[in-house]
Amino acid sequence: MCQDLGSKDITYKDSTLTTKRLTGEIHFPFTLGVSHVLTMGAEYQHDKLDDPDGRAVYLFPGQFIRLRLTTHRH
């Protein structure tokens, strides 16, 4: 919910979410009495949220401070 507080000069910027993902699997077929497949895998994910307006602090109508916040999640 956005509140203007009487100022017409307030502009809002878009947030940017960047996601990087890496996955992999290796399959090892083998026989131990009967046929089997051993599967080993790994996964990596990195999310970054850049939200320039997420921390705007409104002091008085028409006056605000914009704090920069960048969030990293591993």
Side-chain angles (χ1 to χ4, degrees):
M1 180 173 165
C2 297
Q3 187 176 7
D4 192 335
L5 300 176
S7 174
K8 301 299 180 201
D9 297 329
I10 297 175
T11 59
Y12 298 98
K13 296 185 180 186
D14 291 337
S15 299
T16 304
L17 175 63
T18 305
T19 299
K20 296 177 184 176
R21 181 177 293 186
L22 178 65
T23 62
E25 290 183 353
I26 300 174
H27 304 277
F28 296 103
F30 66 96
T31 303
L32 187 61
V34 295
S35 295
H36 297 279
V37 176
L38 175 65
T39 302
M40 294 174 45
E43 184 175 298
Y44 172 80
Q45 181 173 333
H46 178 261
D47 295 323
K48 179 182 174 186
L49 175 62
D50 186 8
D51 187 7
D53 287 330
R55 294 297 235 172
V57 178
Y58 295 90
L59 303 174
F60 301 102
Q63 297 179 348
F64 68 96
I65 299 172
R66 182 174 284 147
L67 305 173
R68 181 125 176 124
L69 174 68
T70 302
T71 304
H72 293 276
R73 183 177 143 246
H74 296 277

